[in-house]
Amino acid sequence: MTTLLVIAKEPRPGRVKTRLTPPFTPRQAASLAEASLADTLDAVAAAPAGRRVLVLDGEPGPWLPPGFDVVPQCAGGLDERLADAFARCAGPALLIGMDTPQVTPELLTVDFTGCDAWFGPAEDGGFWALGLARPDPALLRGVPMSTAATGAVQRDRLVAAGLRVRDLPRLRDVDTAADAHAVAALAPDGRFAGRLAGCAAKAVAGGTAGRSGEGEPGPVAGARAVTAPASRAAGPR
């Protein structure tokens, strides 16, 4: 069966979702990142897989559900880290990031029969998912990451290698506050949407969220787990 890979950063203030600051504080941005990661991991946990792996920059926290192997990211650029994640897999693998909390188990249930690769384009020009029937790290190394052309270059690389590529729906990454609100609207019952609503309410209610941690959100570990509806459409650059 397919190995499902999630590549992520430990959600610590100042290290994740820095483009959310402002309007959110670094602690709020990290809390939103944690909620996004938790929703993503829940979707992966609910999808069929032979193995589930979190490829992590940092340390796991209470947001990690059972059933995942945790491996460290290697050094180097994002292309090297993605390539290394695939290098750890002996069979079919699908990799996603932590930036699409609207993702569903249905979207992650891919069949490689009749194809060699699955590609999930992102609205910002990157890609939120990449699946390979026969993982080959060389397919990722050297692809320019975090540009408006990343997705096109990566897909062209697959086609040039002679792979039969199938496309997943185009989804929106959470990078900016506008992204956050748009994505939360697609999955209103998830942890991410609930955490975003809390952060926005704190910011509106007197601006307390900007004062030395006052009004900051707490961890999402104890939040109610919600399975998102399959109709949600929507993460790595």
Side-chain angles (χ1 to χ4, degrees):
M1 289 186 70
T2 302
T3 295
L4 294 180
L5 303 159
V6 179
I7 188 162
K9 286 184 179 180
E10 178 187 357
R12 294 173 55 192
R15 295 188 70 249
V16 291
K17 295 296 160 211
T18 56
R19 290 172 62 188
L20 292 177
T21 307
F24 301 108
T25 68
R27 284 187 61 194
Q28 287 176 322
S31 181
L32 289 168
E34 184 179 334
S36 178
L37 178 55
D39 281 345
T40 301
L41 294 174
D42 276 355
V44 172
R51 185 184 179 207
R52 298 172 182 84
V53 182
L54 176 63
V55 188
L56 184 64
D57 176 4
E59 298 296 326
W63 37 264
L64 179 65
F68 282 79
D69 296 329
V70 180
V71 299
Q73 292 184 26
C74 72
L78 181 55
D79 63 318
E80 289 289 345
R81 287 178 277 141
L82 295 178
D84 181 71
F86 277 108
R88 299 171 183 267
C89 302
L94 178 72
L95 179 145
I96 66 170
M98 61 183 286
D99 302 331
T100 51
Q102 71 274 44
V103 73
T104 64
E106 290 77 12
L107 286 173
L108 301 177
T109 306
V110 297
D111 183 358
F112 286 97
T113 303
C115 74
D116 306 299
W118 284 91
F119 183 78
E123 289 189 6
D124 61 4
F127 60 95
W128 68 270
L130 179 62
L132 297 172
R134 296 177 180 83
D136 180 358
L139 292 170
L140 292 104
R141 293 193 177 109
V143 173
M145 296 289 162
S146 300
T147 76
T150 293
V153 173
Q154 182 63 76
R155 197 183 189 287
D156 287 347
R157 177 78 69 87
L158 302 176
V159 174
L163 303 186
R164 298 165 296 173
V165 183
R166 288 181 181 166
D167 292 311
L168 289 160
R170 185 179 302 273
L171 303 187
R172 185 168 182 168
D173 286 336
V174 174
D175 290 320
T176 66
D179 294 331
H181 287 286
V183 168
L186 295 172
D189 296 324
R191 287 183 174 94
F192 181 79
R195 180 49 49 88
L196 178 64
C199 289
K202 299 286 187 184
V204 171
T208 58
R211 295 204 301 264
S212 186
E214 183 181 357
E216 295 286 1
V220 302
R224 178 173 60 93
V226 178
T227 300
S231 61
R232 297 188 305 187
R237 274 185 69 167

